[in-house]
Amino acid sequence: MSDPFRIIQFGPRHGQSNGSPVLIEVAHGATTMLQYARTLGLLRGLYPTSLLDFFLVNTDQGAPELAMEIGRQIVDAHPGRSVTIMIAEVPRTFIDFNRIPGVTAEAAKAGGVTPGLQPWVTNPDDVKLLTGFHRAYHAKLGPIVDQVCEAGGTMLALHTYAPRSVDVEAIDERIGERMREAWSGNVERWPLRPEIDLIGRDKWEGDDRPWMVVPAVLTRLRAEFLPLELEVADSVSYHLADVTMARQYRDRYPEQVICLEVRRDLLTGWWLPFAQMIPDSFRIRRIGEALAHALFLF
């Protein structure tokens, strides 16, 4: 693997844009079993086969396709605008590119998120390789964020999540088995997540949680998704934890970085927790059009 990411450009390159540029980041963009196998093949440690279950239930299936649809919608409406899409190619099953380097499992748990370098990665060569991928990714992403935002543009940190929020006893090498146990039987016991969640607050408690995006963003999103009869929530599933890289970029550009979760079953029509789902082009187009108009074409 030469680079742990790929970059797709729609419209003219940055600096040649006729309008405000856009960056869409997909930090959890390794969504296929082939990508999982490719990374696993680079590692020297021994990893349980059940990690594949954790990968399938916990990766942002549909996010790369949705990002590219948003990019097409923007450039179709304004051919002179520049849209850059950066997609991570390393599964968060091993290292999460949306975590600050060196974040501990305890700090991640306190923020309501999973760790950066996963605790089952202990082989020194694997640690070196994966943390090197993390550095390379942000060495490329960081300057693009600066270029886009300093030109008056916007960064969208785009994610998708499973329909339900499940709880497991511990995040360890048995995480795949624990996920199987959690999703077996009566899945309705787990809370159903909002269809769209704008991660725009920095704390869980109370109605006076500080905003981390311009409030008008939520208003525009709700207006666009109302005809589709889809709910847009306000930081219900997560807050923008300070251990995330999205939070670091948001702190640098408070009104120009947007973090968003889309429920995966909206993009596939149905969803199974331990299968590689195929995004539906019609659904991708419908959600992508609404997001493009709410965030970039208003």
Side-chain angles (χ1 to χ4, degrees), residues 27 45 78 82 86 115 196 240 260 268:
H78 295 285
S82 170
M86 186 158 172
I196 314 288
L240 198 53
L260 195 73
T268 60

Side-chain angles (χ1 to χ4, degrees), residues 1-8 25-43 55 59-60 63-65 68 85-98 129-130 133-134 136-138:
M1 183 183 295
S2 57
D3 289 315
F5 55 83
R6 59 189 167 112
I7 296 176
I8 300 101
E25 185 220 6
V26 183
H28 305 145
T31 60
T32 69
M33 288 187 283
L34 177 61
Q35 290 170 309
Y36 177 87
R38 185 180 298 146
T39 299
L40 185 63
L42 299 174
L43 304 180
F55 166 74
T59 194
D60 290 17
E65 294 85 356
M68 289 188 279
I85 300 172
M86 186 158 172
I87 301 175
E89 299 269 70
V90 176
R92 64 187 303 205
T93 316
F94 302 107
I95 190 167
D96 194 325
F97 287 176
N98 190 32
L129 179 70
L130 293 168
F133 283 158
H134 188 289
Y137 179 81
H138 287 284

Side-chain angles (χ1 to χ4, degrees), residues 135-163:
R135 284 193 301 272
Y137 179 81
H138 287 284
K140 187 68 174 182
L141 177 64
I144 299 175
V145 175
D146 290 337
Q147 292 168 4
V148 167
C149 291
E150 287 173 10
T154 303
M155 171 187 176
L156 171 62
L158 182 63
H159 299 267
T160 69
Y161 55 17

Side-chain angles (χ1 to χ4, degrees), residues 277-294:
M277 305 302 296
I278 305 300
D280 177 82
S281 59
F282 172 78
R283 295 172 184 274
I284 290 284
R285 190 180 312 115
R286 184 178 72 149
I287 301 298
E289 182 178 18
L291 289 175
H293 279 83

